[in-house]
Amino acid sequence: MTLAPVGRRTAAAVLTAALLVPLAACGSDDTKKDTGGSPASGSASGAPAANLTVLAAASLTDVFKEAGAAYEKSHPGTKLTFSFAGSQELVAQVSQGSPADVLVTADTKSMDKVRADTGTPAIIAKNRLVIATGEGNPHKVDDLKDLADTKLKVVLAAPEVPAGKYSKQILDKQKIAVKPVSQEPSVRAVLSKVELGEADAGLVYRTDAESAKDKVDAVEIPDDQNAVAQYPAATLKESKNAEAATAFVAWLSSPEGQKILQDAGFQKP
């Protein structure tokens, strides 16, 4: 008769212990969730997630769209927004305090103009000029000398644009006088004129001609008559996402970033 109460207490204790086991397990899982880190707090690579604005030279338009997609895929939570224009326009934006995180220009001189506003630049790629003509090269342009033909409608990038500076450099070196029908604010504007048939020929980067190979032909310029364009990339000191911006600039020089650039026709830095 005295054993019954003890039995009830024992049964109650066993039941209580049984109920506490799953509760303890839930507490353990919550702890893991708290310390494990959410995908929104960073990427698989360890770089912090952020919304980055990248100011990039117009000649990088196609390749950076591809690179951006690859970067976002391998860095969950990071969003890249690109603003493409002539390097001189990008430099003006930086000087005027336009909010951005990364700057990539098509020449070192443009980057030098905003040295006080950037981190240390890294050359991520090189490029060379070609003569872009209409598909099938209907005017039979063979070399730089042909651009001096006054019957030919030639377009060049404006002198303040890196592609315009390189164009002037190689034409002056060969003592070739060209009278362009227009001088454009970016190398992509030059390419567009040729694509649309508004110009017979123009000097653009090799990668630009490659991006429109179904609409234009590219006439190669010998290396000893050509110029080498260098593309420096740097973080902007006013960036509110300094760590994430630094990670993106570093990625551009990584094997993955370099493969994308070189597959698009850019040369190794």
Side-chain angles (χ1 to χ4, degrees):
M1 297 296 291
T2 58
L3 292 176
V6 174
R8 286 195 295 270
R9 288 196 297 269
T10 301
V14 171
L15 179 59
T16 301
L19 290 172
L20 287 174
V21 170
L23 290 174
C26 290
S28 176
D29 288 344
D30 289 343
T31 301
K32 289 179 181 178
K33 290 178 182 177
D34 289 341
T35 58
S38 164
S41 67
S43 69
S45 67
N51 292 327
L52 297 177
T53 297
V54 180
L55 306 179
S59 51
L60 293 166
T61 299
D62 296 298
V63 69
F64 263 24
K65 288 179 180 178
E66 180 182 351
Y71 190 81
E72 289 178 353
K73 184 176 180 180
S74 61
H75 297 73
T78 294
K79 172 68 176 176
L80 295 173
T81 300
F82 295 101
S83 177
F84 300 103
S87 295
Q88 79 288 351
E89 293 181 33
L90 301 178
V91 166
Q93 290 177 36
V94 172
S95 298
Q96 293 165 8
S98 178
D101 304 287
V102 174
L103 173 66
V104 189
T105 62
D107 67 334
T108 56
K109 290 184 178 179
S110 293
M111 184 67 76
D112 287 344
K113 291 179 180 178
V114 287
R115 184 178 299 175
D117 301 300
T118 71
T120 302
I123 303 298
I124 61 164
K126 292 182 179 180
N127 215 339
R128 292 179 183 273
L129 294 176
V130 298
I131 304 170
T133 72
E135 187 178 10
N137 193 3
H139 296 279
K140 308 302 178 186
V141 176
D142 294 322
D143 53 35
L144 288 172
K145 291 180 181 178
D146 290 338
L147 299 182
D149 186 345
T150 56
K151 296 179 181 178
L152 201 68
K153 291 188 292 184
V154 178
V155 289
L156 299 174
E160 62 271 17
V161 181
K165 295 175 185 176
Y166 295 131
S167 297
K168 184 178 187 305
Q169 176 183 328
I170 66 175
L171 291 171
D172 287 351
K173 182 179 179 181
Q174 299 301 313
K175 296 180 172 57
I176 299 172
V178 176
K179 294 182 179 180
V181 294
S182 69
Q183 293 181 311
E184 303 299 321
S186 74
V187 69
R188 278 307 173 100
V190 174
L191 180 68
S192 179
K193 289 278 188 179
V194 178
E195 283 183 296
L196 295 172
E198 297 176 7
D200 301 321
L203 288 173
V204 302
Y205 296 118
R206 180 179 291 163
T207 52
D208 292 307
E210 178 65 20
S211 72
K213 60 184 178 182
D214 58 334
K215 297 179 181 179
V216 304
D217 280 10
V219 178
E220 293 288 335
I221 300 171
D223 285 349
D224 61 350
Q225 298 177 17
N226 216 326
V228 179
Q230 298 190 82
Y231 290 74
T235 58
L236 292 173
K237 291 181 179 178
E238 293 299 316
S239 169
K240 295 181 180 179
N241 306 290
E243 190 176 351
T246 299
F248 176 67
V249 171
W251 180 86
L252 291 172
S253 295
S254 73
E256 183 182 4
Q258 284 295 298
K259 184 179 187 305
I260 293 172
L261 285 163
Q262 289 163 33
D263 284 351
F266 288 86
Q267 298 175 317
K268 293 181 179 180

